[in-house]
């Protein structure tokens, strides 16, 4: 229930507690999923169905969590893009063919290393939403957040 899922379900008029009060068994999760799909607008469902796993430009690769540094960028799996958290990837001296822009691992501030940018500042718990403006024609990195620091 951490990470904003409760608020997300409430935005669809679903109270999770009504479903999970007796546990998180598969049948309960299936009922919750089915209720969400019933209440979700077709445009929302279409949006989620059509999301890309990653986006690449000439200089950047945008993914959810990261990559497996032991693999070529073309060989990365869905699991790598969604869950990677290796110490090699988080090393500031990490290097690959493109600059990896990701989130998934909240930090107190944006992390900007030569080949890795983490813009996850834990909005769900910190209230700080961060972003970066990038351009293949420039090395500038323009960071923005709603932080007062």
């Amino acid at each position: 229930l951490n990470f904003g899922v409760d608020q997300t379900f409430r935005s669809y008029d679903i109270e999770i507690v009504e479903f999970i009060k007796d546990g998180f068994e598969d049948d309960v999760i299936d009922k919750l999923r089915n209720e969400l799909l019933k209440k979700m607008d077709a445009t929302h469902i279409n949006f989620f169905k059509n999301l890309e796993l990653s986006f690449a430009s000439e200089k950047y690769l945008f993914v959810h969590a990261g990559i497996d540094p032991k693999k070529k960028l073309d060989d990365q799996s869905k699991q790598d893009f969604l869950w990677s958290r290796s110490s090699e990837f988080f090393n500031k001296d990490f290097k690959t063919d493109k600059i990896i822009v990701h989130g998934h691992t909240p930090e107190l501030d944006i992390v900007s290393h030569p080949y890795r940018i983490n813009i996850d500042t834990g909005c769900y718990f910190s209230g700080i939403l961060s972003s970066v403006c990038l351009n293949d024609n420039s090395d500038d990195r323009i960071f923005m957040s709603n932080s007062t620091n």
Side-chain angles (χ1 to χ4, degrees):
L1 296 180
N2 294 334
F3 316 118
V5 74
D6 193 37
Q7 295 88 334
T8 301
F9 276 91
R10 282 188 182 146
S11 75
Y12 291 99
D13 294 321
I14 300 170
E15 289 294 331
I16 291 181
V17 71
E18 295 302 318
F19 288 85
I20 62 168
K21 60 186 173 194
D22 297 321
F24 282 99
E25 301 302 319
D26 287 345
D27 63 320
V28 173
I29 300 304
D30 287 341
K31 288 177 188 173
L32 183 57
R33 180 184 302 110
N34 291 336
E35 184 66 17
L36 177 63
L37 290 172
K38 276 195 288 187
K39 295 207 174 193
M40 204 179 261
D41 181 282
T43 57
H44 291 195
I45 292 171
N46 191 44
F47 170 78
F48 289 115
K49 281 185 174 180
N50 289 297
L51 282 174
E52 295 290 333
L53 193 58
S54 64
F55 175 80
S57 69
E58 186 178 316
K59 288 172 59 172
Y60 303 98
L61 176 65
F62 300 83
V63 299
H64 173 70
I67 64 163
D68 180 344
K70 296 178 187 114
K71 297 179 184 177
K72 293 180 181 180
L73 292 182
D74 289 341
D75 295 335
Q76 300 294 316
S77 68
K78 179 179 181 178
Q79 183 80 9
D80 297 328
F81 288 156
L82 295 177
W83 296 104
S84 287
R85 283 186 164 158
S86 72
S87 58
E88 186 178 335
F89 177 67
F90 285 107
N91 183 318
K92 70 178 176 77
D93 296 321
F94 158 81
K95 187 173 182 182
T96 190
D97 297 335
K98 293 184 185 249
I99 298 167
I100 310 302
V101 183
H102 70 97
H104 187 68
T105 304
E107 300 280 355
L108 292 175
D109 202 356
I110 294 168
V111 173
S112 180
H113 294 315
Y115 285 88
R116 185 174 72 83
I117 302 170
N118 180 356
I119 59 168
D120 188 341
T121 48
C123 185
Y124 72 93
F125 66 83
S126 70
I128 299 171
L129 182 62
S130 299
S131 63
V132 61
C133 182
L134 303 166
N135 183 325
D136 281 333
N137 300 318
S138 168
D139 289 331
D140 293 343
R141 296 177 179 190
I142 303 167
F143 298 104
M144 296 161 273
S145 79
N146 62 336
S147 173
T148 56
N149 294 335

